Amino acid sequence: MFFGLEWYWWLIIVVVVAVSIPFKVNFMKWWSERRKEQKGCQKDKWGGEE
């Protein structure tokens, strides 16, 4: 088959990619919320608000 891989390896690769996409979406949502929280309470070098 393609690149010398058998059909079942392609099936495994497709399943792994399909399962990982929702995890990536959830991680990106969590990461953007975390960045907003950190940006909201960020302090300057001397401890005052920016």
Side-chain angles (χ1 to χ4, degrees):
M1 288 214 47
F2 302 108
F3 303 115
L5 295 177
E6 295 293 331
W7 65 271
Y8 51 85
W9 287 113
W10 286 109
L11 183 63
I12 291 170
I13 291 169
V14 168
V15 168
V16 167
V17 168
V19 168
S20 68
I21 288 173
F23 287 111
K24 181 177 179 179
V25 170
N26 286 338
F27 175 78
M28 294 302 288
K29 287 180 184 177
W30 171 81
W31 186 257
S32 67
E33 289 175 11
R34 182 172 179 260
R35 294 293 291 170
K36 285 179 188 174
E37 289 174 4
Q38 285 183 346
K39 206 169 207 177
C41 63
Q42 193 174 31
K43 295 183 184 277
D44 68 359
K45 182 175 167 179
W46 304 109
E49 294 291 327
E50 281 188 345

mmCIF file of all heavy atoms in Angstrom:
data_model
loop_
_atom_site.group_PDB
_atom_site.id
_atom_site.type_symbol
_atom_site.label_atom_id
_atom_site.label_comp_id
_atom_site.label_asym_id
_atom_site.label_seq_id
_atom_site.Cartn_x
_atom_site.Cartn_y
_atom_site.Cartn_z
ATOM 1 N N MET A 1 0.836 -1.191 0.000
ATOM 2 C CA MET A 1 0.000 0.000 0.000
ATOM 3 C C MET A 1 0.881 1.255 0.000
ATOM 4 O O MET A 1 2.027 1.210 -0.386
ATOM 5 C CB MET A 1 -0.933 0.005 1.230
ATOM 6 C CG MET A 1 -2.021 -1.030 1.103
ATOM 7 S SD MET A 1 -3.646 -0.713 1.777
ATOM 8 C CE MET A 1 -4.180 0.831 1.322
ATOM 9 N N PHE A 2 0.320 2.355 0.490
ATOM 10 C CA PHE A 2 1.038 3.628 0.473
ATOM 11 C C PHE A 2 2.194 3.606 1.452
ATOM 12 O O PHE A 2 2.051 3.191 2.599
ATOM 13 C CB PHE A 2 0.087 4.781 0.843
ATOM 14 C CG PHE A 2 -1.095 4.886 -0.059
ATOM 15 C CD1 PHE A 2 -2.355 4.529 0.382
ATOM 16 C CD2 PHE A 2 -0.947 5.333 -1.362
ATOM 17 C CE1 PHE A 2 -3.441 4.626 -0.452
ATOM 18 C CE2 PHE A 2 -2.029 5.433 -2.201
ATOM 19 C CZ PHE A 2 -3.289 5.074 -1.757
ATOM 20 N N PHE A 3 3.337 4.063 0.998
ATOM 21 C CA PHE A 3 4.558 4.173 1.811
ATOM 22 C C PHE A 3 4.957 2.853 2.456
ATOM 23 O O PHE A 3 5.599 2.828 3.494
ATOM 24 C CB PHE A 3 4.401 5.242 2.897
ATOM 25 C CG PHE A 3 4.063 6.601 2.349
ATOM 26 C CD1 PHE A 3 2.847 7.188 2.634
ATOM 27 C CD2 PHE A 3 4.970 7.284 1.550
ATOM 28 C CE1 PHE A 3 2.538 8.438 2.121
ATOM 29 C CE2 PHE A 3 4.659 8.537 1.039
ATOM 30 C CZ PHE A 3 3.440 9.113 1.328
ATOM 31 N N GLY A 4 4.541 1.758 1.895
ATOM 32 C CA GLY A 4 4.939 0.454 2.394
ATOM 33 C C GLY A 4 4.209 -0.004 3.648
ATOM 34 O O GLY A 4 4.616 -0.987 4.265
ATOM 35 N N LEU A 5 3.135 0.691 4.047
ATOM 36 C CA LEU A 5 2.383 0.302 5.244
ATOM 37 C C LEU A 5 1.176 -0.543 4.838
ATOM 38 O O LEU A 5 0.547 -0.308 3.811
ATOM 39 C CB LEU A 5 1.899 1.532 6.016
ATOM 40 C CG LEU A 5 2.986 2.419 6.623
ATOM 41 C CD1 LEU A 5 2.339 3.628 7.281
ATOM 42 C CD2 LEU A 5 3.806 1.659 7.640
ATOM 43 N N GLU A 6 0.875 -1.508 5.662
ATOM 44 C CA GLU A 6 -0.308 -2.339 5.419
ATOM 45 C C GLU A 6 -1.574 -1.556 5.732
ATOM 46 O O GLU A 6 -1.546 -0.522 6.396
ATOM 47 C CB GLU A 6 -0.239 -3.596 6.294
ATOM 48 C CG GLU A 6 0.914 -4.514 5.954
ATOM 49 C CD GLU A 6 0.770 -5.151 4.586
ATOM 50 O OE1 GLU A 6 -0.374 -5.362 4.126
ATOM 51 O OE2 GLU A 6 1.805 -5.434 3.962
ATOM 52 N N TRP A 7 -2.725 -2.081 5.302
ATOM 53 C CA TRP A 7 -3.994 -1.374 5.469
ATOM 54 C C TRP A 7 -4.350 -1.164 6.933
ATOM 55 O O TRP A 7 -4.916 -0.141 7.307
ATOM 56 C CB TRP A 7 -5.119 -2.127 4.760
ATOM 57 C CG TRP A 7 -5.401 -3.483 5.366
ATOM 58 C CD1 TRP A 7 -4.822 -4.660 5.031
ATOM 59 C CD2 TRP A 7 -6.308 -3.755 6.438
ATOM 60 N NE1 TRP A 7 -5.302 -5.664 5.814
ATOM 61 C CE2 TRP A 7 -6.230 -5.141 6.685
ATOM 62 C CE3 TRP A 7 -7.182 -2.986 7.201
ATOM 63 C CZ2 TRP A 7 -6.990 -5.764 7.671
ATOM 64 C CZ3 TRP A 7 -7.943 -3.595 8.178
ATOM 65 C CH2 TRP A 7 -7.841 -4.974 8.402
ATOM 66 N N TYR A 8 -3.986 -2.107 7.800
ATOM 67 C CA TYR A 8 -4.377 -1.978 9.206
ATOM 68 C C TYR A 8 -3.587 -0.879 9.912
ATOM 69 O O TYR A 8 -4.088 -0.269 10.853
ATOM 70 C CB TYR A 8 -4.261 -3.313 9.947
ATOM 71 C CG TYR A 8 -2.937 -4.017 9.784
ATOM 72 C CD1 TYR A 8 -1.856 -3.711 10.591
ATOM 73 C CD2 TYR A 8 -2.788 -5.008 8.797
ATOM 74 C CE1 TYR A 8 -0.648 -4.361 10.442
ATOM 75 C CE2 TYR A 8 -1.571 -5.657 8.646
ATOM 76 C CZ TYR A 8 -0.514 -5.332 9.466
ATOM 77 O OH TYR A 8 0.682 -5.967 9.317
ATOM 78 N N TRP A 9 -2.371 -0.593 9.444
ATOM 79 C CA TRP A 9 -1.626 0.533 10.019
ATOM 80 C C TRP A 9 -2.286 1.849 9.660
ATOM 81 O O TRP A 9 -2.337 2.776 10.474
ATOM 82 C CB TRP A 9 -0.169 0.518 9.565
ATOM 83 C CG TRP A 9 0.612 -0.563 10.234
ATOM 84 C CD1 TRP A 9 1.145 -1.663 9.651
ATOM 85 C CD2 TRP A 9 0.928 -0.657 11.634
ATOM 86 N NE1 TRP A 9 1.783 -2.441 10.584
ATOM 87 C CE2 TRP A 9 1.663 -1.849 11.819
ATOM 88 C CE3 TRP A 9 0.660 0.144 12.741
ATOM 89 C CZ2 TRP A 9 2.135 -2.245 13.062
ATOM 90 C CZ3 TRP A 9 1.131 -0.248 13.980
ATOM 91 C CH2 TRP A 9 1.854 -1.433 14.134
ATOM 92 N N TRP A 10 -2.784 1.953 8.427
ATOM 93 C CA TRP A 10 -3.504 3.169 8.037
ATOM 94 C C TRP A 10 -4.771 3.324 8.853
ATOM 95 O O TRP A 10 -5.129 4.438 9.246
ATOM 96 C CB TRP A 10 -3.824 3.149 6.540
ATOM 97 C CG TRP A 10 -2.604 3.397 5.714
ATOM 98 C CD1 TRP A 10 -1.932 2.507 4.945
ATOM 99 C CD2 TRP A 10 -1.888 4.634 5.614
ATOM 100 N NE1 TRP A 10 -0.837 3.108 4.369
ATOM 101 C CE2 TRP A 10 -0.785 4.410 4.760
ATOM 102 C CE3 TRP A 10 -2.065 5.903 6.160
ATOM 103 C CZ2 TRP A 10 0.119 5.421 4.441
ATOM 104 C CZ3 TRP A 10 -1.155 6.903 5.848
ATOM 105 C CH2 TRP A 10 -0.080 6.654 4.996
ATOM 106 N N LEU A 11 -5.450 2.220 9.127
ATOM 107 C CA LEU A 11 -6.662 2.263 9.954
ATOM 108 C C LEU A 11 -6.328 2.750 11.366
ATOM 109 O O LEU A 11 -7.025 3.602 11.924
ATOM 110 C CB LEU A 11 -7.315 0.883 9.996
ATOM 111 C CG LEU A 11 -8.626 0.777 10.757
ATOM 112 C CD1 LEU A 11 -9.684 1.636 10.108
ATOM 113 C CD2 LEU A 11 -9.074 -0.667 10.826
ATOM 114 N N ILE A 12 -5.243 2.244 11.940
ATOM 115 C CA ILE A 12 -4.820 2.671 13.281
ATOM 116 C C ILE A 12 -4.469 4.159 13.280
ATOM 117 O O ILE A 12 -4.859 4.895 14.193
ATOM 118 C CB ILE A 12 -3.634 1.804 13.768
ATOM 119 C CG1 ILE A 12 -4.108 0.373 14.031
ATOM 120 C CG2 ILE A 12 -3.003 2.404 15.004
ATOM 121 C CD1 ILE A 12 -2.996 -0.613 14.284
ATOM 122 N N ILE A 13 -3.750 4.607 12.263
ATOM 123 C CA ILE A 13 -3.377 6.020 12.173
ATOM 124 C C ILE A 13 -4.619 6.902 12.079
ATOM 125 O O ILE A 13 -4.725 7.929 12.763
ATOM 126 C CB ILE A 13 -2.433 6.258 10.977
ATOM 127 C CG1 ILE A 13 -1.077 5.602 11.253
ATOM 128 C CG2 ILE A 13 -2.271 7.739 10.684
ATOM 129 C CD1 ILE A 13 -0.160 5.551 10.064
ATOM 130 N N VAL A 14 -5.578 6.521 11.270
ATOM 131 C CA VAL A 14 -6.812 7.305 11.119
ATOM 132 C C VAL A 14 -7.585 7.355 12.434
ATOM 133 O O VAL A 14 -8.081 8.412 12.828
ATOM 134 C CB VAL A 14 -7.683 6.723 9.974
ATOM 135 C CG1 VAL A 14 -9.077 7.311 9.992
ATOM 136 C CG2 VAL A 14 -7.010 6.973 8.639
ATOM 137 N N VAL A 15 -7.655 6.238 13.148
ATOM 138 C CA VAL A 15 -8.372 6.203 14.429
ATOM 139 C C VAL A 15 -7.676 7.100 15.452
ATOM 140 O O VAL A 15 -8.327 7.860 16.172
ATOM 141 C CB VAL A 15 -8.494 4.751 14.940
ATOM 142 C CG1 VAL A 15 -8.961 4.706 16.380
ATOM 143 C CG2 VAL A 15 -9.444 3.965 14.051
ATOM 144 N N VAL A 16 -6.354 7.031 15.519
ATOM 145 C CA VAL A 16 -5.610 7.864 16.473
ATOM 146 C C VAL A 16 -5.820 9.348 16.169
ATOM 147 O O VAL A 16 -6.048 10.151 17.085
ATOM 148 C CB VAL A 16 -4.109 7.495 16.457
ATOM 149 C CG1 VAL A 16 -3.278 8.530 17.183
ATOM 150 C CG2 VAL A 16 -3.908 6.125 17.060
ATOM 151 N N VAL A 17 -5.768 9.730 14.914
ATOM 152 C CA VAL A 17 -5.984 11.132 14.545
ATOM 153 C C VAL A 17 -7.412 11.561 14.875
ATOM 154 O O VAL A 17 -7.630 12.642 15.425
ATOM 155 C CB VAL A 17 -5.662 11.352 13.049
ATOM 156 C CG1 VAL A 17 -6.141 12.712 12.571
ATOM 157 C CG2 VAL A 17 -4.178 11.206 12.805
ATOM 158 N N ALA A 18 -8.393 10.707 14.579
ATOM 159 C CA ALA A 18 -9.790 11.048 14.857
ATOM 160 C C ALA A 18 -10.052 11.194 16.350
ATOM 161 O O ALA A 18 -10.833 12.050 16.768
ATOM 162 C CB ALA A 18 -10.711 9.982 14.259
ATOM 163 N N VAL A 19 -9.390 10.399 17.172
ATOM 164 C CA VAL A 19 -9.574 10.490 18.624
ATOM 165 C C VAL A 19 -8.842 11.707 19.181
ATOM 166 O O VAL A 19 -9.318 12.349 20.129
ATOM 167 C CB VAL A 19 -9.097 9.187 19.301
ATOM 168 C CG1 VAL A 19 -9.001 9.341 20.793
ATOM 169 C CG2 VAL A 19 -10.033 8.042 18.939
ATOM 170 N N SER A 20 -7.708 12.073 18.625
ATOM 171 C CA SER A 20 -6.917 13.168 19.181
ATOM 172 C C SER A 20 -7.492 14.547 18.862
ATOM 173 O O SER A 20 -7.210 15.505 19.591
ATOM 174 C CB SER A 20 -5.490 13.081 18.686
ATOM 175 O OG SER A 20 -5.433 13.339 17.304
ATOM 176 N N ILE A 21 -8.281 14.691 17.816
ATOM 177 C CA ILE A 21 -8.810 16.006 17.441
ATOM 178 C C ILE A 21 -9.685 16.611 18.548
ATOM 179 O O ILE A 21 -9.484 17.774 18.911
ATOM 180 C CB ILE A 21 -9.543 15.931 16.085
ATOM 181 C CG1 ILE A 21 -8.511 15.749 14.975
ATOM 182 C CG2 ILE A 21 -10.385 17.172 15.840
ATOM 183 C CD1 ILE A 21 -9.106 15.485 13.615
ATOM 184 N N PRO A 22 -10.653 15.897 19.138
ATOM 185 C CA PRO A 22 -11.439 16.507 20.223
ATOM 186 C C PRO A 22 -10.586 16.901 21.429
ATOM 187 O O PRO A 22 -10.840 17.934 22.059
ATOM 188 C CB PRO A 22 -12.442 15.418 20.613
ATOM 189 C CG PRO A 22 -12.539 14.541 19.429
ATOM 190 C CD PRO A 22 -11.198 14.598 18.772
ATOM 191 N N PHE A 23 -9.570 16.110 21.754
ATOM 192 C CA PHE A 23 -8.682 16.460 22.859
ATOM 193 C C PHE A 23 -7.930 17.752 22.558
ATOM 194 O O PHE A 23 -7.744 18.591 23.434
ATOM 195 C CB PHE A 23 -7.706 15.324 23.151
ATOM 196 C CG PHE A 23 -8.348 14.153 23.824
ATOM 197 C CD1 PHE A 23 -8.488 12.953 23.154
ATOM 198 C CD2 PHE A 23 -8.817 14.255 25.117
ATOM 199 C CE1 PHE A 23 -9.086 11.866 23.773
ATOM 200 C CE2 PHE A 23 -9.415 13.177 25.755
ATOM 201 C CZ PHE A 23 -9.554 11.979 25.073
ATOM 202 N N LYS A 24 -7.500 17.911 21.327
ATOM 203 C CA LYS A 24 -6.788 19.130 20.955
ATOM 204 C C LYS A 24 -7.708 20.335 21.043
ATOM 205 O O LYS A 24 -7.306 21.397 21.521
ATOM 206 C CB LYS A 24 -6.215 19.012 19.543
ATOM 207 C CG LYS A 24 -5.465 20.249 19.148
ATOM 208 C CD LYS A 24 -4.831 20.151 17.790
ATOM 209 C CE LYS A 24 -4.132 21.455 17.503
ATOM 210 N NZ LYS A 24 -3.461 21.497 16.262
ATOM 211 N N VAL A 25 -8.951 20.197 20.602
ATOM 212 C CA VAL A 25 -9.905 21.305 20.664
ATOM 213 C C VAL A 25 -10.138 21.712 22.114
ATOM 214 O O VAL A 25 -10.118 22.898 22.451
ATOM 215 C CB VAL A 25 -11.226 20.923 19.964
ATOM 216 C CG1 VAL A 25 -12.307 21.953 20.239
ATOM 217 C CG2 VAL A 25 -11.006 20.762 18.470
ATOM 218 N N ASN A 26 -10.346 20.733 22.991
ATOM 219 C CA ASN A 26 -10.546 21.037 24.409
ATOM 220 C C ASN A 26 -9.315 21.690 25.010
ATOM 221 O O ASN A 26 -9.427 22.624 25.808
ATOM 222 C CB ASN A 26 -10.894 19.771 25.193
ATOM 223 C CG ASN A 26 -12.302 19.314 24.931
ATOM 224 O OD1 ASN A 26 -13.144 20.092 24.507
ATOM 225 N ND2 ASN A 26 -12.558 18.049 25.187
ATOM 226 N N PHE A 27 -8.134 21.224 24.658
ATOM 227 C CA PHE A 27 -6.905 21.802 25.171
ATOM 228 C C PHE A 27 -6.752 23.251 24.712
ATOM 229 O O PHE A 27 -6.354 24.118 25.498
ATOM 230 C CB PHE A 27 -5.694 20.976 24.721
ATOM 231 C CG PHE A 27 -4.387 21.589 25.127
ATOM 232 C CD1 PHE A 27 -3.943 21.464 26.427
ATOM 233 C CD2 PHE A 27 -3.623 22.289 24.213
ATOM 234 C CE1 PHE A 27 -2.736 22.032 26.817
ATOM 235 C CE2 PHE A 27 -2.421 22.863 24.591
ATOM 236 C CZ PHE A 27 -1.984 22.736 25.896
ATOM 237 N N MET A 28 -7.066 23.536 23.451
ATOM 238 C CA MET A 28 -6.937 24.893 22.944
ATOM 239 C C MET A 28 -7.909 25.840 23.644
ATOM 240 O O MET A 28 -7.562 26.977 23.952
ATOM 241 C CB MET A 28 -7.167 24.929 21.428
ATOM 242 C CG MET A 28 -6.095 24.198 20.645
ATOM 243 S SD MET A 28 -4.439 24.816 20.919
ATOM 244 C CE MET A 28 -4.515 26.355 20.052
ATOM 245 N N LYS A 29 -9.139 25.381 23.934
ATOM 246 C CA LYS A 29 -10.093 26.202 24.680
ATOM 247 C C LYS A 29 -9.566 26.477 26.085
ATOM 248 O O LYS A 29 -9.611 27.605 26.568
ATOM 249 C CB LYS A 29 -11.448 25.501 24.767
ATOM 250 C CG LYS A 29 -12.218 25.505 23.480
ATOM 251 C CD LYS A 29 -13.536 24.790 23.656
ATOM 252 C CE LYS A 29 -14.284 24.689 22.364
ATOM 253 N NZ LYS A 29 -15.540 23.927 22.510
ATOM 254 N N TRP A 30 -9.079 25.434 26.753
ATOM 255 C CA TRP A 30 -8.548 25.589 28.108
ATOM 256 C C TRP A 30 -7.354 26.531 28.104
ATOM 257 O O TRP A 30 -7.216 27.393 28.965
ATOM 258 C CB TRP A 30 -8.151 24.217 28.661
ATOM 259 C CG TRP A 30 -7.411 24.302 29.958
ATOM 260 C CD1 TRP A 30 -7.949 24.471 31.199
ATOM 261 C CD2 TRP A 30 -5.997 24.232 30.138
ATOM 262 N NE1 TRP A 30 -6.947 24.507 32.132
ATOM 263 C CE2 TRP A 30 -5.737 24.365 31.512
ATOM 264 C CE3 TRP A 30 -4.921 24.058 29.271
ATOM 265 C CZ2 TRP A 30 -4.451 24.330 32.040
ATOM 266 C CZ3 TRP A 30 -3.648 24.041 29.791
ATOM 267 C CH2 TRP A 30 -3.413 24.167 31.158
ATOM 268 N N TRP A 31 -6.472 26.398 27.120
ATOM 269 C CA TRP A 31 -5.258 27.212 27.063
ATOM 270 C C TRP A 31 -5.607 28.684 26.845
ATOM 271 O O TRP A 31 -5.016 29.568 27.462
ATOM 272 C CB TRP A 31 -4.346 26.702 25.954
ATOM 273 C CG TRP A 31 -3.029 27.396 25.921
ATOM 274 C CD1 TRP A 31 -2.641 28.372 25.051
ATOM 275 C CD2 TRP A 31 -1.934 27.206 26.814
ATOM 276 N NE1 TRP A 31 -1.369 28.775 25.332
ATOM 277 C CE2 TRP A 31 -0.906 28.072 26.422
ATOM 278 C CE3 TRP A 31 -1.719 26.355 27.894
ATOM 279 C CZ2 TRP A 31 0.300 28.132 27.070
ATOM 280 C CZ3 TRP A 31 -0.510 26.420 28.544
ATOM 281 C CH2 TRP A 31 0.480 27.297 28.142
ATOM 282 N N SER A 32 -6.580 28.971 25.974
ATOM 283 C CA SER A 32 -6.940 30.371 25.721
ATOM 284 C C SER A 32 -7.571 30.990 26.967
ATOM 285 O O SER A 32 -7.302 32.157 27.280
ATOM 286 C CB SER A 32 -7.876 30.490 24.523
ATOM 287 O OG SER A 32 -9.123 29.913 24.810
ATOM 288 N N GLU A 33 -8.394 30.240 27.698
ATOM 289 C CA GLU A 33 -8.968 30.757 28.944
ATOM 290 C C GLU A 33 -7.873 31.002 29.975
ATOM 291 O O GLU A 33 -7.902 32.008 30.689
ATOM 292 C CB GLU A 33 -9.995 29.772 29.503
ATOM 293 C CG GLU A 33 -11.264 29.701 28.682
ATOM 294 C CD GLU A 33 -12.213 28.640 29.186
ATOM 295 O OE1 GLU A 33 -11.984 28.091 30.290
ATOM 296 O OE2 GLU A 33 -13.183 28.358 28.471
ATOM 297 N N ARG A 34 -6.900 30.116 30.051
ATOM 298 C CA ARG A 34 -5.800 30.273 31.000
ATOM 299 C C ARG A 34 -4.982 31.516 30.671
ATOM 300 O O ARG A 34 -4.573 32.259 31.559
ATOM 301 C CB ARG A 34 -4.932 29.019 30.955
ATOM 302 C CG ARG A 34 -3.785 29.030 31.930
ATOM 303 C CD ARG A 34 -3.107 27.667 31.936
ATOM 304 N NE ARG A 34 -1.984 27.663 32.857
ATOM 305 C CZ ARG A 34 -0.718 27.792 32.500
ATOM 306 N NH1 ARG A 34 -0.410 27.921 31.229
ATOM 307 N NH2 ARG A 34 0.240 27.780 33.403
ATOM 308 N N ARG A 35 -4.724 31.745 29.390
ATOM 309 C CA ARG A 35 -3.949 32.925 28.981
ATOM 310 C C ARG A 35 -4.708 34.207 29.326
ATOM 311 O O ARG A 35 -4.108 35.194 29.737
ATOM 312 C CB ARG A 35 -3.667 32.884 27.480
ATOM 313 C CG ARG A 35 -2.758 31.758 27.053
ATOM 314 C CD ARG A 35 -1.367 31.912 27.556
ATOM 315 N NE ARG A 35 -0.738 33.033 26.877
ATOM 316 C CZ ARG A 35 0.420 33.562 27.217
ATOM 317 N NH1 ARG A 35 1.092 33.070 28.214
ATOM 318 N NH2 ARG A 35 0.914 34.572 26.558
ATOM 319 N N LYS A 36 -6.059 34.198 29.154
ATOM 320 C CA LYS A 36 -6.859 35.377 29.497
ATOM 321 C C LYS A 36 -6.784 35.653 30.990
ATOM 322 O O LYS A 36 -6.673 36.803 31.414
ATOM 323 C CB LYS A 36 -8.316 35.176 29.076
ATOM 324 C CG LYS A 36 -8.549 35.296 27.603
ATOM 325 C CD LYS A 36 -10.001 35.051 27.286
ATOM 326 C CE LYS A 36 -10.237 34.969 25.802
ATOM 327 N NZ LYS A 36 -11.622 34.595 25.480
ATOM 328 N N GLU A 37 -6.850 34.599 31.799
ATOM 329 C CA GLU A 37 -6.768 34.756 33.248
ATOM 330 C C GLU A 37 -5.408 35.317 33.651
ATOM 331 O O GLU A 37 -5.323 36.215 34.486
ATOM 332 C CB GLU A 37 -6.995 33.425 33.957
ATOM 333 C CG GLU A 37 -8.413 32.920 33.901
ATOM 334 C CD GLU A 37 -8.560 31.534 34.489
ATOM 335 O OE1 GLU A 37 -7.565 30.989 35.012
ATOM 336 O OE2 GLU A 37 -9.670 30.993 34.412
ATOM 337 N N GLN A 38 -4.351 34.797 33.069
ATOM 338 C CA GLN A 38 -3.014 35.269 33.405
ATOM 339 C C GLN A 38 -2.809 36.710 32.956
ATOM 340 O O GLN A 38 -2.165 37.489 33.636
ATOM 341 C CB GLN A 38 -1.952 34.386 32.769
ATOM 342 C CG GLN A 38 -1.793 33.059 33.465
ATOM 343 C CD GLN A 38 -0.689 32.220 32.857
ATOM 344 O OE1 GLN A 38 -0.205 32.505 31.768
ATOM 345 N NE2 GLN A 38 -0.313 31.167 33.544
ATOM 346 N N LYS A 39 -3.360 37.065 31.821
ATOM 347 C CA LYS A 39 -3.197 38.419 31.317
ATOM 348 C C LYS A 39 -3.988 39.407 32.170
ATOM 349 O O LYS A 39 -3.570 40.533 32.371
ATOM 350 C CB LYS A 39 -3.667 38.488 29.865
ATOM 351 C CG LYS A 39 -3.019 39.569 29.071
ATOM 352 C CD LYS A 39 -3.331 39.412 27.602
ATOM 353 C CE LYS A 39 -2.197 40.026 26.818
ATOM 354 N NZ LYS A 39 -2.354 39.870 25.410
ATOM 355 N N GLY A 40 -5.133 38.961 32.699
ATOM 356 C CA GLY A 40 -5.982 39.831 33.493
ATOM 357 C C GLY A 40 -5.365 40.215 34.825
ATOM 358 O O GLY A 40 -5.575 41.319 35.322
ATOM 359 N N CYS A 41 -4.595 39.331 35.424
ATOM 360 C CA CYS A 41 -4.022 39.632 36.741
ATOM 361 C C CYS A 41 -2.506 39.755 36.680
ATOM 362 O O CYS A 41 -1.818 39.462 37.642
ATOM 363 C CB CYS A 41 -4.440 38.568 37.755
ATOM 364 S SG CYS A 41 -3.835 36.927 37.373
ATOM 365 N N GLN A 42 -2.006 40.200 35.561
ATOM 366 C CA GLN A 42 -0.565 40.353 35.390
ATOM 367 C C GLN A 42 -0.084 41.614 36.106
ATOM 368 O O GLN A 42 -0.717 42.653 36.045
ATOM 369 C CB GLN A 42 -0.248 40.453 33.891
ATOM 370 C CG GLN A 42 1.192 40.298 33.571
ATOM 371 C CD GLN A 42 1.401 40.255 32.063
ATOM 372 O OE1 GLN A 42 0.657 40.876 31.324
ATOM 373 N NE2 GLN A 42 2.391 39.528 31.619
ATOM 374 N N LYS A 43 1.021 41.500 36.791
ATOM 375 C CA LYS A 43 1.584 42.636 37.522
ATOM 376 C C LYS A 43 2.935 43.011 36.918
ATOM 377 O O LYS A 43 3.608 42.188 36.336
ATOM 378 C CB LYS A 43 1.750 42.288 38.996
ATOM 379 C CG LYS A 43 0.429 42.041 39.687
ATOM 380 C CD LYS A 43 0.640 41.764 41.146
ATOM 381 C CE LYS A 43 -0.635 41.426 41.830
ATOM 382 N NZ LYS A 43 -1.410 42.547 42.242
ATOM 383 N N ASP A 44 3.289 44.268 37.100
ATOM 384 C CA ASP A 44 4.574 44.690 36.564
ATOM 385 C C ASP A 44 5.714 44.311 37.505
ATOM 386 O O ASP A 44 5.528 43.646 38.516
ATOM 387 C CB ASP A 44 4.575 46.199 36.244
ATOM 388 C CG ASP A 44 4.492 47.042 37.501
ATOM 389 O OD1 ASP A 44 4.416 46.482 38.604
ATOM 390 O OD2 ASP A 44 4.533 48.283 37.352
ATOM 391 N N LYS A 45 6.881 44.740 37.191
ATOM 392 C CA LYS A 45 8.094 44.356 37.897
ATOM 393 C C LYS A 45 8.079 44.732 39.372
ATOM 394 O O LYS A 45 8.620 44.029 40.216
ATOM 395 C CB LYS A 45 9.264 45.040 37.185
ATOM 396 C CG LYS A 45 10.615 44.766 37.701
ATOM 397 C CD LYS A 45 11.610 45.441 36.770
ATOM 398 C CE LYS A 45 12.985 45.494 37.340
ATOM 399 N NZ LYS A 45 13.919 46.130 36.424
ATOM 400 N N TRP A 46 7.418 45.853 39.725
ATOM 401 C CA TRP A 46 7.452 46.342 41.099
ATOM 402 C C TRP A 46 6.198 45.971 41.875
ATOM 403 O O TRP A 46 5.994 46.449 42.989
ATOM 404 C CB TRP A 46 7.633 47.864 41.102
ATOM 405 C CG TRP A 46 8.858 48.252 40.356
ATOM 406 C CD1 TRP A 46 8.909 48.868 39.151
ATOM 407 C CD2 TRP A 46 10.212 48.013 40.742
ATOM 408 N NE1 TRP A 46 10.199 49.043 38.749
ATOM 409 C CE2 TRP A 46 11.022 48.524 39.715
ATOM 410 C CE3 TRP A 46 10.819 47.419 41.840
ATOM 411 C CZ2 TRP A 46 12.418 48.453 39.763
ATOM 412 C CZ3 TRP A 46 12.192 47.365 41.886
ATOM 413 C CH2 TRP A 46 12.976 47.872 40.862
ATOM 414 N N GLY A 47 5.323 45.140 41.321
ATOM 415 C CA GLY A 47 4.166 44.657 42.054
ATOM 416 C C GLY A 47 2.900 45.440 41.831
ATOM 417 O O GLY A 47 1.850 45.073 42.320
ATOM 418 N N GLY A 48 2.940 46.523 41.081
ATOM 419 C CA GLY A 48 1.743 47.308 40.802
ATOM 420 C C GLY A 48 1.012 46.776 39.577
ATOM 421 O O GLY A 48 1.518 45.954 38.827
ATOM 422 N N GLU A 49 -0.179 47.251 39.405
ATOM 423 C CA GLU A 49 -0.945 46.857 38.230
ATOM 424 C C GLU A 49 -0.393 47.555 36.997
ATOM 425 O O GLU A 49 0.078 48.679 37.076
ATOM 426 C CB GLU A 49 -2.425 47.233 38.396
ATOM 427 C CG GLU A 49 -3.135 46.468 39.493
ATOM 428 C CD GLU A 49 -3.315 45.000 39.177
ATOM 429 O OE1 GLU A 49 -3.483 44.656 37.999
ATOM 430 O OE2 GLU A 49 -3.259 44.186 40.120
ATOM 431 N N GLU A 50 -0.513 46.877 35.858
ATOM 432 C CA GLU A 50 -0.040 47.492 34.616
ATOM 433 C C GLU A 50 -1.080 48.420 34.045
ATOM 434 O O GLU A 50 -2.235 48.255 34.145
ATOM 435 C CB GLU A 50 0.271 46.428 33.565
ATOM 436 C CG GLU A 50 1.581 45.786 33.800
ATOM 437 C CD GLU A 50 1.990 44.871 32.658
ATOM 438 O OE1 GLU A 50 1.159 44.510 31.829
ATOM 439 O OE2 GLU A 50 3.157 44.510 32.624
#
